[in-house]
Every structure is written in C-alpha cells, then in structure tokens.
Amino acid sequence: MGEEVRVTNLHNRDGGNEDQNQEFDIYPLSSYYFGSKDTIPFKDHTLHHHLLRIQSKFFSFSLILCLLLISMSFLSSLILFLIFFLVSYAASGLRTSVEAVLLVELFKHPHLLLLQVRNSIYKLPGGRLRPGESDTDGLKRKLTRKLSVDEDGDGSEWEVGECLGMWWRPDFKTLLYPFLPPNVKQPKECTKVFLVKLPASTKFIVPKNMRLLAVPLCQVHENQKTYGQIISGVPQLLSKFSFNMLES
Amino acid sequence: MGEEVRVTNLHNRDGGNEDQNQEFDIYPLSSYYFGSKDTIPFKDHTLHHHLLRIQSKFFSFSLILCLLLISMSFLSSLILFLIFFLVSYAASGLRTSVEAVLLVELFKHPHLLLLQVRNSIYKLPGGRLRPGESDTDGLKRKLTRKLSVDEDGDGSEWEVGECLGMWWRPDFKTLLYPFLPPNVKQPKECTKVFLVKLPASTKFIVPKNMRLLAVPLCQVHENQKTYGQIISGVPQLLSKFSFNMLES
C-alpha cells in the first residue's frame, strides 16, 4: 500500500518529464532458491587484515624498487624509477573493486542481499578487478564465483546496471570518502557500487563459509557501525528509484 | 592533479562499458557573478517552525472536514468523507519539494552552492511544488525566484538534470528517510534532489535576507549536525560522477 502512494505521486507530478521517474523491478525473496557449495578462501577476516595486506603489497614493491635503484647508475635509475613508479601504481597502488546491489522484496519492503562471513563482517557481493578488466566483466566474474552453481560460467545471468556510487580510500586507514579528498594524489583503493538487476527467478549457490542474507533497507540505513560505510549508504543511493514489487 | 587520477582510472578500466563513466562539467567559482536583490519572505526559520506549519495546515483541513461531517446525514457524509479525504491528502497531505544541487570548482575540489538564512540554516535552493506542477517546472520557478535577476523569467537558463535522490518524512517529526518506511501509508513530505547543470558563466542575484555560499563537498560530507540529512548526503549521491573541472 505504501508503495502505491509513492508511485501514484510520481506519476501525477511528472507529467512534463516522465524520464525522471526511475522505476526498478524487484521480485519476492520466495521466488529465489538458495543452496550451498564448497568453501572458497576468504582473504580478509577483518578490515584491519585487509588494510595490512594491501599495505604490505604496496611496500614490498617499493622495497624491490629501492634495492634496484641503489645498484645502478643515476640516469638509468632515474628512468627506471619513473617507469617502475607508473607500473607499480597501476599494479599495486590503486586497487579497484566492484560490488553489487542485489534487491529482493519481503513484506512489501526492498531487502538488500548481503554476504556474511564468520558471523560478523557484512559485504556486498563483488571483489577486486584484474588488471585491464572492465567493471562489468569483473563484477560478473565475482558474482558467478560467489553466487552461481557453475563457478566457471560466463556470468551472462547477471545484468549489471548503472554505477550508483564510488568510494575512495586515500591512505591505508579505515575511512572511505565518496569523493577524492583535496590534495590526495595517490588514492589506495576505489570501490564502485553497481545496481544489478535480478531475473524473476534464479538459484543462489553460496560457498559454505559464507551466508547470504536479505536485510531490509530500513535496517541498513545509517547503520554504519554494523554494516560499514558502503552498505549503510546504499539506501540513499537507491532513493531515486521507485520500486515495482512484482510477483514472479 | 587528484582528478586526473580518477579520470584516467575510469577510462582505463571501462574499455568494455564506457557508458558507465558518468562525467559532469563544472566551472570555477570565479566565472560566476554574485549580486543581491530585494528580500523575499522566508517562512520557516527553523525546522521546528516548518514542522509546526505543515502540521497546522493538515489539521485545520481535518477540522473543517469533521465539522462538515457532524452536520450531515450518514450516507452523504461517508461519500463526502471519501472525496474530501482524497482531495485533502493531495492538497495538504503530502507536500512535495524539489531542491537543486549546483556545483562550482574551487581549489580543484567541487563546491556545493547553499543558501544560508539568518546565519544558521543551510538549504539547497528550491522549494515546494504547486499542485499539478512538474518537478522540472517547479524547480526552474524556484531557482529563478531565488537566484535570477528577473524573478518573473521563464527559468530557461536552468538545465535540470537527473533526480539524484528522494527523502521521505513519514510523520510530523524531524527524521527523514531515503525510502518509504514499511507500514507508512501517508507520508507527510517528499523532497526530491536534482542535479542542475550550470552554464560556463552566469549571474546569481540573491535576496538580501539570504546568502549564497560555496561549501566544499569534503566539509558537507557526513556533517549532518551542521547541514542536515539532505545536504550531508549529497556527496554520496554525487560519488558516481567524475568531475571535469573546466576553465570558463
């Protein structure tokens, strides 16, 4: 009933610019099947682990670079430094991750599908891009690995929609920003959040060491302490949509 | 320099889906002229005033309705009640407001244009829609009234872009939600936030009782206490864009 008010209102108001009314179809939780498959390794058990890992990768690369420089003449080392700097930054400086917003309907309210690891960390399904991989390809690969029956599938079942937002980590600290802060020239991590449209029915096959949960938007909203900055901001990023709650 | 990293990164990554790279042009603050014009009345000096006003309007309508009902027979009063209920809800139940995100560049960082009233309240330029008015027409009218030389202009200088987000007020309380909370059938207020593209140069003529300020996104971000829920969430709603900082 609540949704009817919203949809009606939008239709009435937007006589002049109907393109502004952005609708998004979601299907009930009951139309999806949830199963499990073999455990897949999970690298970062806490945010602290994650930061340590990306920091150590970055610094081990810098160390090799320094040793090389010491053992060579000035000019050639300068050229090598520049080349290595660019390569090292692309290789291990800025990590780019892609994450998916998957929505289902329950009790007439949109619910977000979240992966839970070890009963504590909540994550949007997704992961890090390979060098040169496009956002869409990378996200399809990650979703297939974590949520599909056939881990080696081509990911064609995932319809990756628009980019909803991006978060930047300027240093090896915990805070993320929805913009590149002034004077930050070498951000360490960028996470892009995409809206992924689910079909009317599908099977989610989740590794045994993870749980897939449907969490209501109203629980996630501004609950940074439990869900972290990215997830707790998703309801705001979705607020422009009016949801069509369909029967499957 | 910071922006270069972002743009380069996006271009490299998105070979496969370039439509995902959403760019937005902004121009330096110095390319705009700021002047003042006569005071315009400002109704709500605090959020408390605002809530009291919309509540009193709503209840005065309900009171008239009750008096009418008492003085009539049952069947006709029932029919009248239904008609009045629908009309009253459309007329004074749900208020719809539209607000504009206007961006300028300063020190290589995007700044948000905010109206300040009485040295305290910050507001995005905009206001309430008239009954039947489209979002775009209403926003152009409000922007012209508050920011243009000619108050009676047609508002053609304002290029209203996409809706970035919507906020709902389920009752006459202060909290807003970026979704219609479950079980809320009659929200009291809906505020839609639109991205408005500024020309390379223009004149902002602001009423004397208001000030137009350019506030950096990094200052606004998560600063709910100073700027309120809507404004403090704008950086997140803008995070999907990479900004082209142009010379005017």
Side-chain angles (χ1 to χ4, degrees):
Chain A
M1 283 301 289
E3 281 310 306
E4 279 170 32
V5 174
R6 177 189 291 208
V7 174
T8 313
N9 170 261
L10 283 166
H11 278 294
N12 288 348
R13 295 291 190 192
D14 284 355
N17 51 336
E18 282 178 17
D19 54 328
Q20 289 289 357
N21 186 9
Q22 295 174 81
E23 297 192 355
F24 191 75
D25 295 343
I26 59 175
Y27 299 92
L29 181 66
S30 57
S31 58
Y32 299 102
Y33 172 86
F34 297 87
S36 66
K37 62 181 174 184
D38 286 348
T39 294
I40 60 172
F42 184 69
K43 289 167 194 158
D44 304 310
H45 296 131
T46 65
L47 180 61
H48 181 67
H49 279 132
H50 172 73
L51 293 174
L52 276 182
R53 193 164 58 88
I54 63 173
Q55 195 165 8
S56 69
K57 273 197 181 179
F58 189 78
F59 285 121
S60 62
F61 208 96
S62 308
L63 191 69
I64 296 168
L65 196 66
C66 286
L67 291 173
L68 265 172
L69 286 180
I70 292 163
S71 63
M72 294 178 105
S73 74
F74 180 73
L75 193 69
S76 57
S77 65
L78 193 74
I79 296 163
L80 256 176
F81 177 81
L82 285 171
I83 296 168
F84 265 67
F85 179 78
L86 293 170
V87 173
S88 77
Y89 187 72
S92 65
L94 178 70
R95 299 164 60 96
T96 305
S97 296
V98 285
E99 300 189 345
V101 167
L102 304 167
L103 295 167
V104 297
E105 177 266 325
L106 190 64
F107 307 124
K108 298 275 175 200
H109 186 66
H111 284 54
L112 188 57
L113 293 186
L114 296 178
L115 282 169
Q116 195 189 24
V117 190
R118 294 194 172 209
N119 289 326
S120 58
I121 313 169
Y122 294 94
K123 288 170 78 78
L124 290 172
R128 191 182 171 186
L129 291 182
R130 288 175 180 160
E133 191 176 38
S134 80
D135 297 341
T136 307
D137 290 349
L139 189 53
K140 284 181 178 178
R141 178 174 59 79
K142 287 288 179 183
L143 289 176
T144 304
R145 181 142 192 264
K146 286 180 183 163
L147 301 176
S148 294
V149 191
D150 178 15
E151 280 191 26
D152 304 316
D154 64 349
S156 58
E157 69 267 41
W158 307 108
E159 195 182 319
V160 178
E162 68 175 278
C163 178
L164 296 171
M166 287 198 274
W167 289 88
W168 298 87
R169 191 188 301 280
D171 44 35
F172 297 112
K173 290 182 185 149
T174 52
L175 268 188
L176 299 171
Y177 298 87
F179 46 79
L180 209 56
N183 303 321
V184 171
K185 282 172 188 56
Q186 290 186 28
K188 300 296 176 270
E189 201 169 17
C190 172
T191 305
K192 299 185 193 177
V193 178
F194 288 86
L195 183 59
V196 174
K197 196 177 171 187
L198 288 178
S201 176
T202 192
K203 286 181 183 179
F204 292 104
I205 310 296
V206 185
K208 275 179 187 152
N209 55 333
M210 298 181 189
R211 289 200 298 165
L212 191 63
L213 302 171
V215 185
L217 285 192
C218 59
Q219 189 180 318
V220 160
H221 171 55
E222 288 189 347
N223 193 346
Q224 227 184 83
K225 210 177 154 189
T226 306
Y227 297 100
Q229 277 183 288
I230 297 180
I231 297 173
S232 65
V234 166
Q236 222 189 113
L237 297 179
L238 291 172
S239 69
K240 65 177 175 178
F241 293 101
S242 65
F243 295 104
N244 291 326
M245 316 234 178
L246 303 171
E247 293 297 311
S248 63
Chain B
M1 284 300 290
E3 281 310 307
E4 278 169 34
V5 174
R6 177 188 291 210
V7 174
T8 313
N9 171 261
L10 284 165
H11 279 294
N12 289 347
R13 294 291 191 193
D14 283 354
N17 52 336
E18 283 178 17
D19 54 328
Q20 290 289 355
N21 186 9
Q22 296 174 78
E23 297 192 355
F24 191 76
D25 295 343
I26 59 175
Y27 299 92
L29 181 67
S30 57
S31 57
Y32 299 102
Y33 172 86
F34 297 87
S36 66
K37 62 182 174 183
D38 286 348
T39 293
I40 60 172
F42 184 69
K43 289 167 193 160
D44 305 310
H45 295 130
T46 66
L47 180 61
H48 181 67
H49 279 130
H50 172 73
L51 292 174
L52 275 182
R53 192 164 59 88
I54 64 174
Q55 194 164 9
S56 69
K57 272 196 181 178
F58 189 77
F59 285 121
S60 62
F61 209 96
S62 307
L63 190 70
I64 296 167
L65 197 66
C66 286
L67 291 173
L68 265 172
L69 287 180
I70 291 163
S71 63
M72 294 178 104
S73 74
F74 180 72
L75 192 69
S76 57
S77 66
L78 193 74
I79 296 164
L80 255 176
F81 177 81
L82 285 171
I83 297 168
F84 265 66
F85 179 79
L86 292 170
V87 173
S88 76
Y89 187 72
S92 65
L94 179 70
R95 299 164 60 96
T96 306
S97 295
V98 285
E99 301 189 344
V101 167
L102 304 167
L103 295 166
V104 297
E105 177 266 325
L106 191 66
F107 307 124
K108 298 275 174 199
H109 186 66
H111 284 53
L112 188 57
L113 293 186
L114 297 178
L115 283 170
Q116 196 189 25
V117 190
R118 293 193 173 211
N119 289 326
S120 59
I121 313 169
Y122 294 93
K123 288 169 78 76
L124 290 172
R128 191 181 171 187
L129 291 182
R130 288 175 180 161
E133 191 176 39
S134 81
D135 297 341
T136 308
D137 290 349
L139 189 53
K140 284 180 177 177
R141 178 174 58 79
K142 286 288 180 183
L143 289 175
T144 304
R145 182 143 191 264
K146 286 179 182 162
L147 301 176
S148 294
V149 190
D150 178 15
E151 280 190 27
D152 304 316
D154 63 349
S156 57
E157 70 267 41
W158 306 107
E159 194 182 320
V160 178
E162 68 175 277
C163 177
L164 296 171
M166 287 198 275
W167 289 88
W168 298 86
R169 190 188 302 281
D171 44 36
F172 296 112
K173 291 182 183 147
T174 51
L175 269 188
L176 299 171
Y177 298 87
F179 46 79
L180 208 56
N183 302 321
V184 171
K185 283 173 188 57
Q186 290 186 28
K188 300 296 177 272
E189 201 168 17
C190 171
T191 305
K192 298 185 195 179
V193 178
F194 288 87
L195 183 59
V196 174
K197 196 177 171 186
L198 288 178
S201 176
T202 191
K203 285 181 183 179
F204 292 104
I205 309 296
V206 186
K208 275 178 188 153
N209 55 334
M210 298 182 190
R211 288 201 297 166
L212 191 63
L213 303 172
V215 185
L217 284 193
C218 58
Q219 188 180 319
V220 159
H221 170 55
E222 289 190 344
N223 194 346
Q224 227 183 84
K225 210 176 154 190
T226 306
Y227 297 100
Q229 278 183 287
I230 297 179
I231 296 172
S232 65
V234 166
Q236 222 190 112
L237 298 179
L238 291 172
S239 69
K240 64 177 174 178
F241 293 102
S242 64
F243 295 105
N244 291 327
M245 315 233 178
L246 304 171
E247 294 296 311
S248 64

